Amino acid sequence: MSLELFSQYIFAGITYGIIYAIVAIGFNIIYNTTGIINFAQGEFVMLGGMTAISLNHFLPLPLAIISAVLFTMLMGGLIEIVFIRWLQKPSVLRLIIITIGISILSREAALHVWGDSVRALPYFTGNVVSSVDILGASISPQVLWVLAICYCLVIILSLFFKFTPLGREMQACAANRLAATLCGINAKNMVTFSFMLSAAIGAVAGCVVSPITSSQYDMGTGLAIKGFTVAVLGGLGNSMAAVAAGLLLGIIEAFSVGIGFPLAFQDAIAISILLIILFVRPHGLFGNKEAAGLKEF
Amino acid sequence: MDLKKITSIALLITLVVGIQLTTQLTGTSYYLTQLTMTMYSCLLIIGLCLVMGYAGQISLGHAGFFAIGGYTSAALTTTNLLEALERGSGCVGLLNKMGLLVSSTSLFGEPMLTVHPWLACLLAIALTVLVAFAIGIPVLKLKGHYLAMATLGFGIIIYRIVLAVAFLGEADGISDVPGFTLLPGLTVNGDIGNRITNYYIAATILIIGFVLLLNLIDSRVGRALRAIHGAEDAADAMGINTARYKLYTFVISAVFAAVAGILLTHYTGGISPGDAGVMKSVRYVAIVAIGGMASLWGALSMGGLLNFLSLRGFFGSYDDAFFGAILILIMLFAPQGILRLSLWNKFKGGKKEVQ
Amino acid sequence: MSLLEINDLNKRFGGLHAVNSVSFAVNQGDIKAVIGPNGAGKTTLFNLICGALPADSGSVLFNGGQILGYRPFQIATTGISRTFQNIKMFPGMTALENVMVGLHTKSRSGFWSGMLHLPFTRHEEKKVRRRALELLELLDISAYADVEAASLAFGQQRAVEFARALASDPTLLLLDEPAAGLNIYETAEVARLITKIQQQGITVLLVEHDMSLVMDISDEIVVLSFGEHIAEGTPSEIQHNKEVIQIYLGE
């Protein structure tokens, strides 16, 4: 394999990988504050992308993206308030089914609003054919956009959780909900915030990746499965590990195409990894078994 | 069997016959086609109900088992083996000598030599059992979210496979699947003239399956399953091999799904990737949830009603949205299922107080 | 030979040595109690014996055979039964059904015979039901046979749990804090039931916090503190053991 081809695959891998990581972080934020796996996480990505595409007809691109992210964020909060907030001690099975229902409804709503056509945002800079030469590989400038924005997002998120009062309150809720409540933190609001936050970052991912992969009403399920694979691979709840795991999965997928693995089975790779990880190391590659045991399933 | 069970089954049979006679008298026997399809779906749903309601395990991959059954049977009964026989394949020759292959002519008048539907059916079930064990042993160690995602992943893999393999017809699926003669004179196929027979075949198979499951949940095994669902560690301490019970339940329910797949495929004459889709699996889960999870009667009645309405196109283009919405509503307001909503609850609660 | 023999049993949780080289034996027909202050490792010891936790090292011999490393359901089939500290009734099942689950190891019909409802299954089902009723009668709670077990009073639930544990015809009964959450009247009733169980020829090993219960009914007592075996002897010996008094009164 030539160096050019090699770096081409690496770039393809990290582009998809970082998107998976963002979806996984979305899973983790909600999981940490609530113990719920939100099966509708992929729909946030779809919603962000599709809304931005529609808004871009009237608004300049940056404004369209910001409005789409805010809109998705609002939807995330609304979903939590309407469907989850008022439930008293719901069982895991019940929550799984509710979020599955939400995912179906969002998808169907999107189908009725936007139809089943494939759409895409325009390239942030340049167009489909423009490219940058890096290590002998020609990379679309959009790839650089994706990488830059996503890495910034990851850094901002970790700073947010470490240094802002709100971020710390959310962390406290994640660590011990009861204790956080006793310290005067409104745990219910934190859950709503976590839904909004994870909807927002999902929407960002949906926007930046749209020029490359296009957006369609049913793109969510596939992304959700891969995001979940990455979240589990890194250890559920551990966002930094999710980034590493995301890049790993992205690169594996890219090279599987490179060695001639049939494209149709590309999804099967992620799912097989998911199944294998679940069977042999359910606490993740980087996770700690005893810490995983503390969370109830 | 106790008296209550016998009476309710008798009522069920009366209902089946009553519906058929009504359609005959009103000249609406075209309903029977959808009713027959509905009943095969119900077979899958009561099997899923056993896993979800009684063993307490969620499966988001049951359409996968349906597809394994349907596709295996369809592929075996439509693949022409004549060429292989002429080439002198020993295996095909042996099957032919044993009378396990059938000759026919295709729509285009070509001579065909295919696997006998009964052999195809048995092979399909054997494959399902194998896959169910292979998947079930690791998967059933998982709980909650992990189990849901793992079964969902299994469902997607099956979907991808049927979509990508040329032998299984890729996006078109398999069509022109021949009828399945269960016994001389009883053929599962879509002939208009055979509609009433097929309706009764489906009803008979569904009721047999239903009674088997009713018996099971009333037995020692059913008690053990309820115990596992309620308090797994206590069940374990009673000497119940919880892992094995969950696994066997999963396999039985996979077989129910596969049988439904086999028969429905022969009835409609084809199967397509859509039948293996995730949305199908979710829909089955929705119906079991609406029926009240741990209620075979609930699953049967809701499965019958909702599948029939859906097949009649009652929900139009909002079909999937309807199932999504009803799933959420049930889980929000009546997690015990629709049959246990307030009125019903008061009735039952009142009876308990008398004791 | 003693019925149950625990040799040099160890269990660590990270830096905590929860059970530290504990050894003792339970004689056939006795009621033996394990006591100790909170955090002494009583419950951990209990979970090691009944297979709910894996031990780090040591051995547990039952009737001379090693049972360490058995899974809980396998231990149940060897003739050891247990109860839970926070009574675990099977929800949605009547008291009678709870006891019928306890008879699991005493019946055999499986998936096939259950689905087909074979004559032998029907016969067995009748036998199971009759035996479960007998057990409820033995523990004086047959009046509640058809009431949902989880809705009974705490003391009655404890009795149902005893009946359920006795259903498998155990030679050894393990009780995890049987008086936990009970008032003094209920505790006295539990004490009476435990003695009644002993009279059936069943050996009892209990882990308990409540001294009054233990002193009245035990033949022998083992005292644990911080995972270590401190003392062992008859109730009166234990009552006069200086070390034990020190631990309990914190001198």
Side-chain angles (χ1 to χ4, degrees):
Chain A
M1 191 181 283
S2 67
L3 178 69
E4 293 83 65
L5 208 55
F6 183 80
S7 42
Q8 198 87 46
Y9 287 136
I10 289 283
F11 271 99
I14 55 177
T15 311
Y16 283 95
I18 195 72
I19 295 296
Y20 300 156
I22 295 285
V23 177
I25 292 174
F27 274 120
N28 283 338
I29 290 174
I30 293 184
Y31 176 77
N32 273 341
T33 40
T34 60
I36 304 175
I37 288 297
N38 174 23
F39 278 67
Q41 190 64 36
E43 269 61 39
F44 289 148
V45 180
M46 178 271 293
L47 207 57
M50 295 301 265
T51 316
I53 293 166
S54 290
L55 291 175
N56 193 29
H57 292 309
F58 332 101
L59 297 171
L61 187 62
L63 218 55
I65 291 177
I66 291 171
S67 326
V69 171
L70 288 177
F71 171 74
T72 312
M73 193 168 164
L74 218 65
M75 290 304 289
L78 212 63
I79 283 174
E80 198 276 334
I81 290 169
V82 172
F83 296 115
I84 306 213
R85 194 183 177 94
W86 53 274
L87 293 179
Q88 287 179 350
K89 294 198 172 178
S91 69
V92 171
L93 188 65
R94 203 169 155 201
L95 286 171
I96 292 176
I97 296 180
I98 288 173
T99 58
I100 290 174
I102 294 170
S103 125
I104 296 171
L105 277 191
S106 330
R107 200 159 57 226
E108 290 299 307
L111 176 64
H112 281 275
V113 173
W114 288 295
D116 59 359
S117 60
V118 180
R119 296 141 184 263
L121 273 180
Y123 281 71
F124 291 9
T125 48
N127 53 41
V128 195
V129 290
S130 51
S131 68
V132 185
D133 259 17
I134 299 174
L135 296 174
S138 14
I139 308 298
S140 159
Q142 188 65 32
V143 165
L144 302 180
W145 275 110
V146 171
L147 295 179
I149 292 179
C150 290
Y151 282 109
C152 286
L153 198 61
V154 170
I155 292 166
I156 292 170
L157 274 178
S158 51
L159 293 179
F160 168 78
F161 278 120
K162 267 213 178 80
F163 296 113
T164 63
L166 182 60
R168 284 177 165 186
E169 284 179 14
M170 284 172 78
Q171 291 276 71
C173 258
N176 186 336
R177 196 179 168 135
L178 183 64
T181 313
L182 293 176
C183 294
I185 296 172
N186 186 336
K188 292 209 157 179
N189 285 348
M190 292 306 129
V191 174
T192 314
F193 283 139
S194 72
F195 267 80
M196 292 172 74
L197 192 58
S198 97
I201 67 163
V204 171
C207 292
V208 294
V209 83
S210 175
I212 305 178
T213 63
S214 305
S215 309
Q216 205 183 353
Y217 79 100
D218 63 352
M219 69 188 287
T221 316
L223 271 178
I225 284 270
K226 286 182 187 175
F228 185 77
T229 305
V230 166
V232 171
L233 202 59
L236 215 48
N238 184 347
S239 291
M240 285 304 126
V243 175
L247 297 182
L248 186 66
L249 177 64
I251 291 171
I252 291 176
E253 280 192 355
F255 278 94
S256 75
V257 175
I259 57 168
F261 195 79
L263 201 61
F265 289 121
Q266 211 193 14
D267 283 356
I269 296 175
I271 295 164
S272 312
I273 292 177
L274 172 65
L275 293 180
I276 293 167
I277 282 289
L278 286 180
F279 301 153
V280 298
R281 257 187 97 81
H283 45 282
L285 281 185
F286 312 106
N288 170 324
K289 197 171 181 177
E290 282 178 12
L294 293 178
K295 292 270 182 193
E296 287 246 343
F297 293 110
Chain B
M1 238 190 285
D2 59 68
L3 196 65
K4 202 173 132 204
K5 201 149 74 181
I6 294 172
T7 351
S8 23
I9 294 297
L11 276 173
L12 193 62
I13 295 172
T14 319
L15 183 69
V16 167
V17 177
I19 288 175
Q20 190 267 320
L21 290 178
T22 317
T23 57
Q24 194 149 32
L25 289 175
T26 55
T28 50
S29 52
Y30 48 83
Y31 281 129
L32 291 187
T33 305
Q34 282 121 6
L35 283 169
T36 308
M37 292 164 76
T38 299
M39 288 193 285
Y40 287 133
S41 299
C42 283
L43 196 61
L44 182 153
I45 287 162
I46 56 172
L48 182 60
C49 176
L50 185 71
V51 166
M52 284 181 59
Y54 294 92
Q57 311 292 311
I58 190 170
S59 168
L60 287 169
H62 255 53
F65 289 117
F66 178 93
I68 291 177
Y71 266 102
T72 311
S73 187
L76 290 175
T77 52
T78 54
T79 308
N80 198 345
L81 296 172
L82 209 52
E83 212 178 296
L85 183 68
E86 280 158 6
R87 228 181 25 237
S89 162
C91 182
V92 175
L94 185 68
L95 286 175
N96 197 23
K97 279 206 195 87
M98 288 166 74
L100 295 172
L101 303 182
V102 284
S103 317
S104 58
T105 42
S106 74
L107 286 175
F108 310 106
E110 287 173 68
M112 298 268 289
L113 184 68
T114 53
V115 176
H116 192 281
W118 261 116
L119 178 62
C121 168
L122 293 179
L123 287 174
I125 292 176
L127 182 64
T128 308
V129 170
L130 215 66
V131 173
F133 269 111
I135 288 290
I137 290 171
V139 163
L140 294 176
K141 284 191 189 138
L142 307 171
K143 285 195 175 112
H145 299 115
Y146 288 147
L147 180 66
M149 274 291 181
T151 51
L152 184 64
F154 160 72
I156 293 181
I157 287 188
I158 298 291
Y159 176 68
R160 290 288 165 192
I161 289 175
V162 302
L163 202 57
V165 175
F167 176 62
L168 299 176
E170 294 174 347
D172 297 329
I174 300 175
S175 53
D176 299 327
V177 179
F180 180 0
T181 307
L182 297 169
L183 292 169
L186 290 178
T187 303
V188 177
N189 62 12
D191 286 356
I192 302 281
N194 212 353
R195 196 146 58 186
I196 295 177
T197 319
N198 261 293
Y199 172 79
Y200 280 112
I201 292 174
T204 312
I205 290 170
L206 176 60
I207 290 176
I208 290 174
F210 190 63
V211 170
L212 289 180
L213 293 188
L214 279 183
N215 284 342
L216 185 67
I217 59 166
D218 277 347
S219 73
R220 166 173 176 266
V221 172
R223 207 160 43 231
L225 287 177
R226 278 189 289 157
I228 293 171
H229 191 15
E232 188 162 339
D233 46 355
D236 209 350
M238 297 301 123
I240 297 170
N241 187 342
T242 52
R244 183 180 296 169
Y245 270 78
K246 284 193 235 171
L247 180 63
Y248 285 179
T249 314
F250 188 69
V251 173
I252 287 178
S253 127
V255 168
F256 268 67
V259 170
I262 295 166
L263 293 171
L264 194 55
T265 302
H266 284 286
Y267 181 63
T268 57
I271 185 164
S272 65
D275 293 317
V278 171
M279 197 50 223
K280 279 276 155 89
S281 293
V282 172
R283 177 180 295 210
Y284 298 137
V285 169
I287 291 173
V288 172
I290 296 162
M293 301 274 191
S295 164
L296 281 174
W297 282 100
L300 183 71
S301 52
M302 287 303 128
L305 184 69
L306 295 175
N307 268 316
F308 180 68
L309 289 179
S310 170
L311 283 169
R312 291 293 305 163
F314 187 77
F315 310 117
S317 64
Y318 292 95
D319 204 41
D320 285 345
F322 170 81
F323 277 93
I326 203 161
L327 192 59
I328 294 184
L329 289 176
I330 288 291
M331 280 297 120
L332 289 181
F333 301 109
Q336 301 298 313
I338 205 160
L339 293 183
R340 296 193 205 157
L341 270 173
S342 51
L343 246 184
W344 184 263
N345 240 344
K346 269 178 204 148
F347 172 69
K348 278 180 99 176
K351 252 192 356 191
K352 228 176 223 162
E353 274 165 19
V354 175
Q355 289 177 342
Chain C
M1 192 184 63
S2 36
L3 184 66
L4 186 76
E5 230 184 281
I6 293 162
N7 295 315
D8 204 18
L9 201 59
N10 278 288
K11 177 72 187 175
R12 286 171 193 273
F13 294 109
L16 177 72
H17 210 155
V19 174
N20 189 351
S21 305
V22 171
S23 306
F24 64 88
V26 183
N27 292 325
Q28 177 92 49
D30 272 5
I31 295 181
K32 185 140 187 167
V34 176
I35 61 166
N38 274 330
K42 303 184 299 273
T43 298
T44 307
L45 175 71
F46 191 89
N47 284 331
L48 293 178
I49 298 172
C50 60
L53 274 178
D56 293 340
S57 66
S59 73
V60 178
L61 301 179
F62 178 63
N63 270 332
Q66 174 74 266
I67 57 163
L68 206 60
Y70 278 28
R71 310 245 300 278
F73 77 89
Q74 292 168 320
I75 286 182
T77 53
T78 62
I80 299 180
S81 242
R82 70 165 292 187
T83 64
F84 291 84
Q85 186 175 338
N86 46 344
I87 310 175
K88 289 195 170 152
M89 290 286 110
F90 298 121
M93 294 171 95
T94 64
L96 184 70
E97 282 174 319
N98 263 280
V99 181
M100 285 167 82
V101 176
L103 283 154
H104 189 84
T105 55
K106 293 281 141 194
S107 46
R108 14 186 344 102
S109 62
F111 278 85
W112 287 112
S113 52
M115 281 200 275
L116 298 173
H117 209 58
L118 299 175
F120 119 81
T121 324
R122 254 171 290 172
H123 182 67
E124 185 182 84
E125 199 65 9
K126 267 189 205 141
K127 255 176 39 190
V128 164
R129 184 173 291 271
R130 204 162 26 192
R131 176 73 186 135
L133 262 176
E134 276 172 25
L135 285 161
L136 287 176
E137 265 159 30
L138 179 73
L139 297 181
D140 309 319
I141 37 168
S142 56
Y144 308 110
D146 292 323
V147 182
E148 189 183 329
S151 67
L152 289 172
F154 226 53
Q156 291 160 344
Q157 284 193 38
R158 189 59 89 187
V160 175
E161 204 194 14
F162 281 0
R164 191 174 73 179
L166 289 178
S168 60
D169 258 345
T171 34
L172 175 66
L173 183 61
L174 304 174
L175 305 174
D176 190 2
E177 302 213 9
L182 301 185
N183 62 34
I184 48 168
Y185 304 108
E186 287 171 332
T187 305
E189 173 65 13
V190 163
R192 193 181 68 81
L193 289 180
I194 295 176
T195 335
K196 199 165 172 179
I197 289 167
Q198 183 194 25
Q199 283 157 10
Q200 306 281 315
I202 297 168
T203 313
V204 177
L205 174 65
L206 67 139
V207 159
E208 186 51 74
H209 200 69
D210 190 318
M211 285 300 218
S212 60
L213 175 72
V214 171
M215 292 301 166
D216 285 352
I217 60 171
S218 314
D219 295 306
E220 271 192 81
I221 295 177
V222 173
V223 186
L224 292 186
S225 174
F226 293 109
E228 286 185 60
H229 180 289
I230 297 295
E232 186 169 356
T234 62
S236 60
E237 280 165 15
I238 293 294
Q239 269 167 332
H240 299 104
N241 185 312
K242 285 218 173 78
E243 215 171 342
V244 174
I245 296 169
Q246 204 172 12
I247 291 166
Y248 265 89
L249 301 179
E251 248 187 307

